[in-house]
Amino acid sequence: MQDAALKEIPDGYQKKFIHIDMDSFFVSVELLDAPHLRSCPVAVGGTAAERGVISTANYIARQYGVKSGIATATAYRLCPELVLLPVRFEAYEAVTRKLDSIFRRYTDKIEFLSLDEASLDVSGQTQFNGSATYMAAHIRKAIEQELHLTASAGVAPLKYLAKIASEVNKPDGMFVIRPPEVKEFLAELDIRKIPGVGPKTYSVLENLGCSRCGDVTEDKIPSLMRNLGVHGFYVWERCQGVEEKEEKESDVKSLGVEKTLPIDCNDFPSCSKELFDLLKNLENRLPEINDNSFIVKNLVKLKFSDFSTSSAEAPATRICQDTVISLCRTLWDTKRKGRPVRLIGLSIKVKRKANDSQQMELPW
Ligand SMILES: [Mg+2]
């Protein structure tokens, strides 16, 4: 049973993202008006007298340990010759508007994360024969020639990976993760790079033996679920190179079985016994999935005596007994609220393999 219908997640990603992140943006904009300060440690921020903090520091100041978020008073202790300039948001916003007009030459699917950072979806764009790598290089060149500023870029088939890639060769560099390289890149990636993995989540993951994305294997799902709840699935997905939002719902189908119990059930052991029977029934139906599809999720549904229903799902590439039992236990503990269970449902979500002939023919 353990290996029933274990089908590989293909690397046939359909999308192309470019992440652009300006290098020490606020300071770089200020230095356009003060070129004589280029060889000095410079930062933008509030004054020490006003208990201000550093907003951005140039790379010279960073060598002294001056960085975003530290108190300006501390920054002066680290680097007494620091040149501190006040924050001028209007000046930075004006440059951001120019950046936006450069991006619009390539796509109108632009999402700014802040004044100096944006994610561009260039899937299906035809410039440079569809090559996101060339588009990113040209965007960086345009920023340099027209705005006299430098940017770092990341290119990848997933939005969050493009962001991570933009940091690899920062400043003034770029890094490309092509679809066949996603798995290899993730295997060694420090899990703290995944957006949403802060110190709290990391300490849980570390206890589970996960410090790199490659450590988050499928057998960890039940313990991730116990320790992090839904967030655990999110982490698992990102570690596998999956970004749920990018999937089209129409590509996801489900196959399920359910049973109305002969008498309403009030104890977990009887409930899980019924669940085991359903597991076997569902496995018998696996041949109904066609070869062009693969399993992405397990889902458990409980209907209570008052006919209300709750369900829970988790990522899985097969019908996983441990995952299914954990899902049932979660529903039992958190949603049942003392009501007897009337019906149990078990299903898998199945996704069609990407059509390789579309985007993937185009160069990266
Ligand atoms: Mg930046």
mmCIF file of all heavy atoms in Angstrom, residues 20-26 56 59 62 114-117 150 152 170, ligand 1:
data_model
loop_
_atom_site.group_PDB
_atom_site.id
_atom_site.type_symbol
_atom_site.label_atom_id
_atom_site.label_comp_id
_atom_site.label_asym_id
_atom_site.label_seq_id
_atom_site.Cartn_x
_atom_site.Cartn_y
_atom_site.Cartn_z
ATOM 1 N N ILE A 20 12.769 41.648 -9.655
ATOM 2 C CA ILE A 20 13.750 42.739 -9.702
ATOM 3 C C ILE A 20 13.835 43.378 -8.322
ATOM 4 O O ILE A 20 12.810 43.716 -7.723
ATOM 5 C CB ILE A 20 13.336 43.821 -10.735
ATOM 6 C CG1 ILE A 20 13.233 43.236 -12.149
ATOM 7 C CG2 ILE A 20 14.303 45.011 -10.683
ATOM 8 C CD1 ILE A 20 14.549 42.941 -12.830
ATOM 9 N N ASP A 21 15.052 43.494 -7.814
ATOM 10 C CA ASP A 21 15.265 44.119 -6.514
ATOM 11 C C ASP A 21 16.376 45.153 -6.655
ATOM 12 O O ASP A 21 17.511 44.827 -7.002
ATOM 13 C CB ASP A 21 15.645 43.041 -5.488
ATOM 14 C CG ASP A 21 15.775 43.621 -4.086
ATOM 15 O OD1 ASP A 21 15.335 44.762 -3.863
ATOM 16 O OD2 ASP A 21 16.336 42.922 -3.218
ATOM 17 N N MET A 22 16.030 46.424 -6.421
ATOM 18 C CA MET A 22 17.011 47.503 -6.567
ATOM 19 C C MET A 22 18.066 47.387 -5.465
ATOM 20 O O MET A 22 17.766 47.009 -4.338
ATOM 21 C CB MET A 22 16.312 48.859 -6.467
ATOM 22 C CG MET A 22 15.240 49.080 -7.529
ATOM 23 S SD MET A 22 15.899 49.007 -9.211
ATOM 24 C CE MET A 22 16.846 50.533 -9.235
ATOM 25 N N ASP A 23 19.316 47.731 -5.817
ATOM 26 C CA ASP A 23 20.413 47.634 -4.847
ATOM 27 C C ASP A 23 20.458 48.884 -3.973
ATOM 28 O O ASP A 23 20.507 49.996 -4.497
ATOM 29 C CB ASP A 23 21.742 47.455 -5.593
ATOM 30 C CG ASP A 23 21.731 46.197 -6.463
ATOM 31 O OD1 ASP A 23 21.138 45.187 -6.037
ATOM 32 O OD2 ASP A 23 22.296 46.234 -7.570
ATOM 33 N N SER A 24 20.446 48.693 -2.673
ATOM 34 C CA SER A 24 20.434 49.775 -1.657
ATOM 35 C C SER A 24 19.703 51.023 -2.182
ATOM 36 O O SER A 24 20.279 52.101 -2.308
ATOM 37 C CB SER A 24 21.862 50.127 -1.205
ATOM 38 O OG SER A 24 22.690 50.438 -2.309
ATOM 39 N N PHE A 25 18.423 50.819 -2.497
ATOM 40 C CA PHE A 25 17.643 51.761 -3.299
ATOM 41 C C PHE A 25 17.643 53.200 -2.787
ATOM 42 O O PHE A 25 18.028 54.121 -3.511
ATOM 43 C CB PHE A 25 16.206 51.229 -3.403
ATOM 44 C CG PHE A 25 15.306 52.035 -4.303
ATOM 45 C CD1 PHE A 25 15.661 52.285 -5.623
ATOM 46 C CD2 PHE A 25 14.099 52.525 -3.833
ATOM 47 C CE1 PHE A 25 14.824 53.013 -6.469
ATOM 48 C CE2 PHE A 25 13.254 53.250 -4.663
ATOM 49 C CZ PHE A 25 13.611 53.498 -5.980
ATOM 50 N N PHE A 26 17.208 53.422 -1.533
ATOM 51 C CA PHE A 26 17.072 54.807 -1.056
ATOM 52 C C PHE A 26 18.406 55.553 -1.144
ATOM 53 O O PHE A 26 18.477 56.686 -1.612
ATOM 54 C CB PHE A 26 16.550 54.859 0.396
ATOM 55 C CG PHE A 26 15.137 54.363 0.575
ATOM 56 C CD1 PHE A 26 14.565 54.328 1.846
ATOM 57 C CD2 PHE A 26 14.373 53.934 -0.503
ATOM 58 C CE1 PHE A 26 13.261 53.876 2.028
ATOM 59 C CE2 PHE A 26 13.068 53.480 -0.336
ATOM 60 C CZ PHE A 26 12.516 53.447 0.942
ATOM 61 N N THR A 56 18.146 52.429 4.942
ATOM 62 C CA THR A 56 18.992 51.731 3.969
ATOM 63 C C THR A 56 20.430 52.227 4.130
ATOM 64 O O THR A 56 20.643 53.407 4.418
ATOM 65 C CB THR A 56 18.573 52.067 2.511
ATOM 66 O OG1 THR A 56 17.166 52.047 2.411
ATOM 67 C CG2 THR A 56 19.166 51.073 1.531
ATOM 68 N N TYR A 59 26.712 49.896 0.300
ATOM 69 C CA TYR A 59 27.530 48.712 0.572
ATOM 70 C C TYR A 59 28.806 49.042 1.345
ATOM 71 O O TYR A 59 29.319 48.191 2.066
ATOM 72 C CB TYR A 59 27.789 47.929 -0.730
ATOM 73 C CG TYR A 59 26.548 47.150 -1.136
ATOM 74 C CD1 TYR A 59 25.545 47.730 -1.900
ATOM 75 C CD2 TYR A 59 26.349 45.846 -0.677
ATOM 76 C CE1 TYR A 59 24.394 47.030 -2.222
ATOM 77 C CE2 TYR A 59 25.202 45.138 -0.990
ATOM 78 C CZ TYR A 59 24.225 45.726 -1.773
ATOM 79 O OH TYR A 59 23.082 45.039 -2.070
ATOM 80 N N ARG A 62 27.713 49.055 4.884
ATOM 81 C CA ARG A 62 27.396 47.688 5.330
ATOM 82 C C ARG A 62 28.643 46.932 5.789
ATOM 83 O O ARG A 62 28.557 46.047 6.637
ATOM 84 C CB ARG A 62 26.698 46.906 4.203
ATOM 85 C CG ARG A 62 25.270 47.400 3.986
ATOM 86 C CD ARG A 62 24.552 46.594 2.934
ATOM 87 N NE ARG A 62 23.442 47.383 2.391
ATOM 88 C CZ ARG A 62 22.484 46.907 1.624
ATOM 89 N NH1 ARG A 62 22.481 45.623 1.282
ATOM 90 N NH2 ARG A 62 21.527 47.689 1.181
ATOM 91 N N SER A 114 7.431 46.412 -2.630
ATOM 92 C CA SER A 114 7.772 47.649 -1.923
ATOM 93 C C SER A 114 8.215 48.618 -3.003
ATOM 94 O O SER A 114 8.129 48.299 -4.188
ATOM 95 C CB SER A 114 8.878 47.401 -0.897
ATOM 96 O OG SER A 114 10.026 46.899 -1.560
ATOM 97 N N LEU A 115 8.713 49.781 -2.612
ATOM 98 C CA LEU A 115 9.123 50.764 -3.623
ATOM 99 C C LEU A 115 10.239 50.239 -4.513
ATOM 100 O O LEU A 115 10.396 50.674 -5.643
ATOM 101 C CB LEU A 115 9.599 52.056 -2.936
ATOM 102 C CG LEU A 115 8.524 52.981 -2.369
ATOM 103 C CD1 LEU A 115 9.197 54.173 -1.683
ATOM 104 C CD2 LEU A 115 7.587 53.461 -3.469
ATOM 105 N N ASP A 116 11.040 49.302 -4.005
ATOM 106 C CA ASP A 116 12.248 48.924 -4.748
ATOM 107 C C ASP A 116 12.280 47.467 -5.185
ATOM 108 O O ASP A 116 13.314 46.963 -5.571
ATOM 109 C CB ASP A 116 13.489 49.230 -3.897
ATOM 110 C CG ASP A 116 13.733 48.173 -2.849
ATOM 111 O OD1 ASP A 116 12.752 47.712 -2.244
ATOM 112 O OD2 ASP A 116 14.893 47.791 -2.664
ATOM 113 N N GLU A 117 11.141 46.818 -5.142
ATOM 114 C CA GLU A 117 11.151 45.388 -5.416
ATOM 115 C C GLU A 117 9.855 44.994 -6.124
ATOM 116 O O GLU A 117 8.772 45.344 -5.671
ATOM 117 C CB GLU A 117 11.204 44.670 -4.062
ATOM 118 C CG GLU A 117 11.943 43.389 -4.052
ATOM 119 C CD GLU A 117 11.898 42.754 -2.667
ATOM 120 O OE1 GLU A 117 11.984 43.503 -1.665
ATOM 121 O OE2 GLU A 117 11.761 41.548 -2.599
ATOM 122 N N THR A 150 21.513 50.493 -10.136
ATOM 123 C CA THR A 150 21.676 49.070 -10.414
ATOM 124 C C THR A 150 20.597 48.259 -9.711
ATOM 125 O O THR A 150 20.088 48.643 -8.648
ATOM 126 C CB THR A 150 23.061 48.535 -9.983
ATOM 127 O OG1 THR A 150 23.168 48.635 -8.557
ATOM 128 C CG2 THR A 150 24.192 49.297 -10.645
ATOM 129 N N SER A 152 19.275 43.964 -8.979
ATOM 130 C CA SER A 152 19.572 42.546 -9.082
ATOM 131 C C SER A 152 18.310 41.843 -9.548
ATOM 132 O O SER A 152 17.204 42.289 -9.246
ATOM 133 C CB SER A 152 20.023 42.002 -7.732
ATOM 134 O OG SER A 152 21.234 42.641 -7.370
ATOM 135 N N LYS A 170 23.454 39.274 -5.666
ATOM 136 C CA LYS A 170 23.278 40.671 -5.278
ATOM 137 C C LYS A 170 24.595 41.216 -4.721
ATOM 138 O O LYS A 170 25.264 40.481 -4.010
ATOM 139 C CB LYS A 170 22.169 40.739 -4.228
ATOM 140 C CG LYS A 170 21.604 42.106 -4.003
ATOM 141 C CD LYS A 170 20.271 42.031 -3.292
ATOM 142 C CE LYS A 170 19.657 43.405 -3.209
ATOM 143 N NZ LYS A 170 19.494 44.068 -4.508
HETATM 144 MG MG MG B 1 16.305 46.228 -2.509
#
